[in-house]
Amino acid sequence: MAAPLSQIEQIYLNECNVALNSQIQLQLYATYVYLSMAYFCNKDEVALGFFALFFLRQSQKWMERTEMLFLLLTERCGFLTLGRIADQDRHDWLDGLMAMECAFHLEKTLNQSLLQLYQVAESRGDTYLCNLLKRHFLQQQVEILKEMGGYLTNLRKMGAPENRLAEYIFDKLTLAESTKED
């Protein structure tokens, strides 16, 4: 028979459940926004197919990471509280550059939330959660922020958004090449 949890352990489990649920909610929001971006870029009048594929892959990556947190909650007999996914701030973007800028800001928000979750786990000595976040989340955040930052720099250097051809060339060369690597 398992020993009852101490009051401190119960407080941590509750705090951890709340933090994990908050992170899950944010990641589901990111999945939703990335799907919306992919749809926008794939429209005939925008015609940025590799932008669309890039955003679709980001959506899929966040869904996979969300499933990891679902499993963690299940393993810990935690509770899952799914709320309404907030409406995105922008329902339509003007161009690929604007969509990439929004994606970059979304990733920064996700990164900050992950760092806060890591701090909660670290302050309570939860090495399992710390290791999970390091292995499957935090390093990937550094990489995607660096990648998107580079994309934004290149798009601006090429003259986007004023030069629509810049986005088209970036889509066909840079993003097409990056999707081959995945």
Side-chain angles (χ1 to χ4, degrees):
M1 181 165 202
L5 295 175
S6 72
Q7 187 174 5
I8 293 173
E9 289 172 319
Q10 288 175 353
I11 290 170
Y12 170 68
L13 286 177
N14 187 43
E15 184 181 353
C16 187
N17 275 329
V18 168
L20 283 169
N21 273 281
S22 177
Q23 184 64 35
I24 287 169
Q25 194 72 18
L26 181 58
Q27 289 178 198
L28 289 173
Y29 171 76
T31 300
Y32 176 76
V33 171
Y34 275 125
L35 282 174
S36 183
M37 288 176 177
Y39 170 77
F40 166 76
C41 291
N42 207 39
K43 294 187 331 188
D44 289 339
E45 61 270 19
V46 180
L48 296 171
F50 289 105
F51 271 84
L53 186 56
F54 174 80
F55 293 136
L56 182 61
R57 287 190 176 163
Q58 283 304 111
S59 177
Q60 292 166 341
K61 287 176 184 178
W62 278 113
M63 183 51 76
E64 290 169 8
R65 292 176 188 156
T66 302
E67 290 170 2
M68 279 186 223
L69 296 183
F70 284 155
L71 292 174
L72 178 62
L73 278 175
T74 302
E75 288 170 3
R76 294 182 171 193
C77 299
F79 57 86
L80 178 63
T81 306
L82 293 176
R84 182 175 175 271
I85 296 175
D87 289 334
Q88 63 194 58
D89 297 332
R90 183 181 317 275
H91 294 283
D92 205 6
W93 297 270
L94 300 175
D95 50 46
L97 175 66
M98 183 181 274
M100 189 65 73
E101 286 173 338
C102 290
F104 183 72
H105 291 293
L106 178 60
E107 290 294 339
K108 285 178 18 181
T109 301
L110 286 156
N111 188 57
Q112 186 60 40
S113 180
L114 286 165
L115 290 172
Q116 289 170 347
L117 180 59
Y118 183 86
Q119 286 176 338
V120 168
E122 187 177 49
S123 71
R124 302 297 185 169
D126 189 341
T127 56
Y128 181 82
L129 181 54
C130 287
N131 289 335
L132 178 83
L133 293 172
K134 282 182 194 175
R135 187 176 312 121
H136 297 286
F137 291 85
L138 296 174
Q139 183 59 41
Q140 289 83 345
Q141 282 307 106
V142 170
E143 292 168 9
I144 194 64
L145 286 168
K146 182 180 175 185
E147 181 180 0
M148 284 183 175
Y151 289 166
L152 289 170
T153 299
N154 289 342
L155 280 163
R156 287 186 192 110
K157 282 183 179 179
M158 293 172 68
E162 294 81 17
N163 181 358
R164 299 286 295 173
L165 186 58
E167 284 184 349
Y168 178 80
I169 292 170
F170 184 84
D171 181 70
K172 298 299 180 224
L173 297 178
T174 303
L175 288 179
E177 195 62 34
S178 76
T179 57
K180 287 181 187 175
E181 296 169 8
D182 291 340

